Amino acid sequence: MAVSAPTANMKLALKFSVAVTAGIGLILAAEGVLHVHRIAALQEAEIREDLTTLGETLANAVGEAWAMGGHSRALAFIGRVNDRGERTHVRLLPPEGVEDPSAEPRVSLLSTKDDWHVVTLAPVLSNGETVAVLEIKRQLPMERKYFASILRTQIGTTIAAAVVSGGIA
């Protein structure tokens, strides 16, 4: 018995299935992109808040050390801070080299292909005057791995859902 050529109804059903699968795939991809953007924004806001608090706290402590023993005591305190952190490096900058050194702590998220890090600048006050600016640079290797994992999971889920919906259609 010969196999008959596909009928017009079969061709239409195939086109419909392909169109439904492509449409579902596009919708899932758009939802995936939005989901990843929401997670990235949430993660960035959390990092900014943490580093702003760290900047304020360390700048206050350095200011207290400065008030009790001057520049050398502040540097000694910063040395102890640097000894304790693998991913965080703190240094004092002169206020003259920083735009608006009296401002609240400012956090900048910086990233390259191989490195994610955050830089926080916070004014150091001693007796009501800005005597220095504290720079805190923190590496973010764990956050980078976490975000890459979220991205892989989202891509895998989107592809799997599109394949399953295509099979159903």
Side-chain angles (χ1 to χ4, degrees):
M1 182 167 172
V3 176
S4 63
T7 64
N9 286 342
M10 290 174 68
K11 287 181 182 178
L12 182 61
L14 180 61
K15 288 179 183 179
F16 179 74
S17 294
V18 169
V20 166
T21 301
I24 290 172
L26 287 172
I27 290 168
L28 290 172
E31 161 41 36
V33 168
L34 292 173
H35 180 70
V36 168
H37 280 283
R38 285 189 298 267
I39 289 174
L42 181 64
Q43 187 177 19
E44 181 178 334
E46 190 173 302
I47 289 170
R48 283 183 184 279
E49 183 179 328
D50 290 350
L51 269 286
T52 298
T53 301
L54 178 63
E56 289 173 344
T57 304
L58 279 178
N60 287 337
V62 170
E64 291 293 320
W66 191 297
M68 290 190 292
H71 184 258
S72 60
R73 186 154 184 177
L75 287 177
F77 176 78
I78 289 172
R80 288 191 304 275
V81 170
N82 283 330
D83 289 343
R84 301 191 81 201
E86 296 175 11
R87 300 183 311 149
T88 304
H89 180 74
V90 180
R91 68 182 182 143
L92 270 183
L93 303 174
E96 301 82 39
V98 177
E99 181 183 326
D100 194 11
S102 63
E104 295 294 313
R106 297 185 302 277
V107 178
S108 301
L109 291 170
L110 307 170
S111 64
T112 64
K113 181 181 174 215
D114 299 321
D115 181 39
W116 283 17
H117 61 273
V118 180
V119 176
T120 303
L121 298 175
V124 176
L125 303 175
S126 179
N127 299 320
E129 287 186 38
T130 302
V131 293
V133 174
L134 192 66
E135 178 190 72
I136 304 167
K137 183 177 179 183
R138 174 172 251 176
Q139 302 295 320
L140 301 173
M142 299 307 293
E143 289 82 352
R144 183 171 186 251
K145 288 178 184 175
Y146 174 70
F147 190 74
S149 171
I150 289 171
L151 194 55
R152 283 191 304 273
T153 301
Q154 189 64 48
I155 290 169
T157 302
T158 300
I159 290 170
V163 167
V164 167
S165 66
I168 292 171

